[in-house]
Amino acid sequence: MELVYYKGLQDEPYTTNEVIAEYTGVELRSINRSINRNEQMLKEFGVLRHGVTKPTQGSNGGRPKKIYHLNEQQATFLITLLDNTPKVKEFKKLLVKSFYQIKSELDERKIHRQVNKVVNIGFGDVIKARYPESKHAYSNYHRLAYKYALGVTPKQIKEQRHTHDPQSALTSDESARLERAKQQISLFIQDGYDYEDIKAKMFADI
């Protein structure tokens, strides 16, 4: 189990109530009670985010679990509320190091992203670098770019405009919109987002 997580360059690194319970030896329900009792104070350090996990297949049922996503300040504050056992002390040290390493990694990736923007790495190259073994990644993102920029897929362009090359059938304005969509998708890929996250972000304001 990792100590610190992040989804993309623009997202704040976080740890979870499960991680804290695992590494400190404190029962998860005790950690959850502490979060609930101190919810307002935790919110002073940022939005108290959470996700929900469903019971795995084959398990004996059970209710979905709430997984809190605690930023560095929230996690640090929560740990101060625990008994200062040797295991808790060791976890504090590991957590500080993990947050520092993740933030350093994110800073480095942001620099690489800016460099890539300057040299204008191609859409296909970005996808290939991220998904070297995938046979469908390019076609999926290519289709997403068309759908976002033009509201139709390449296949629909072919059918509507009776062409074998949808790119050549686009107007200059459509081509510009498509290029901007590809650049945006490329940046999201370089930020570490997966396909479903990118799709949701692209269409969030439509």
Side-chain angles (χ1 to χ4, degrees), residues 133-146:
E133 305 298 328
S134 176
K135 297 179 181 179
H136 306 292
Y138 180 82
S139 60
N140 289 340
Y141 282 113
H142 186 66
R143 188 162 52 247
L144 177 61
Y146 267 80

Side-chain angles (χ1 to χ4, degrees), residues 2 7 16 50 55 65 67 69 97 124 130 133 140 156 168 180 191 194-195:
E2 296 182 31
K7 295 189 73 174
T16 72
H50 69 270
K65 291 192 299 182
I67 307 300
H69 295 180
K97 288 183 177 180
R130 176 69 186 278
E133 305 298 328
N140 289 340
Q156 289 171 323
S168 65
R180 287 194 296 270
D191 282 356
D194 62 24
Y195 176 84

Side-chain angles (χ1 to χ4, degrees), residues 41-175:
M41 296 187 73
L42 287 167
K43 286 181 177 178
E44 292 181 24
F45 300 107
V47 177
L48 186 57
R49 304 184 187 280
H50 69 270
V52 175
T53 60
K54 297 179 180 178
T56 57
Q57 280 190 332
S59 64
N60 295 322
R63 295 190 302 175
K65 291 192 299 182
K66 181 180 285 188
I67 307 300
Y68 288 97
H69 295 180
L70 304 162
N71 65 29
E72 184 175 12
Q73 291 178 307
Q74 290 168 336
T76 301
F77 172 72
L78 185 62
I79 294 170
T80 64
L81 304 177
L82 304 179
D83 292 336
N84 207 24
T85 64
K87 200 167 185 178
V88 170
K89 287 182 181 179
E90 181 65 18
F91 175 65
K92 288 180 183 178
K93 180 181 71 175
L94 292 175
L95 192 65
V96 168
K97 288 183 177 180
S98 294
F99 268 111
Y100 177 80
Q101 290 170 353
I102 288 294
K103 288 189 289 187
S104 297
E105 178 184 331
L106 287 173
D107 287 342
E108 185 175 346
R109 290 184 62 187
K110 287 175 184 177
I111 292 172
H112 288 164
R113 169 182 168 165
Q114 293 304 315
V115 171
N116 289 342
K117 283 178 67 176
V118 172
V119 301
N120 193 27
I121 289 180
F123 183 65
D125 293 331
V126 170
I127 295 171
K128 186 175 181 180
R130 176 69 186 278
Y131 305 98
E133 305 298 328
S134 176
K135 297 179 181 179
H136 306 292
Y138 180 82
S139 60
N140 289 340
Y141 282 113
H142 186 66
R143 188 162 52 247
L144 177 61
Y146 267 80
K147 192 69 176 176
Y148 173 78
L150 308 175
V152 291
T153 65
K155 181 179 179 181
Q156 289 171 323
I157 290 283
K158 289 181 181 180
E159 294 171 351
Q160 293 170 3
R161 304 187 187 185
H162 308 290
T163 178
H164 294 294
D165 181 9
Q167 182 78 43
S168 65
L170 302 181
T171 66
S172 58
D173 177 65
E174 287 172 336
S175 293

Side-chain angles (χ1 to χ4, degrees), residues 200-206:
K201 286 179 176 293
M202 295 290 284
F203 289 95
D205 297 325
I206 294 180

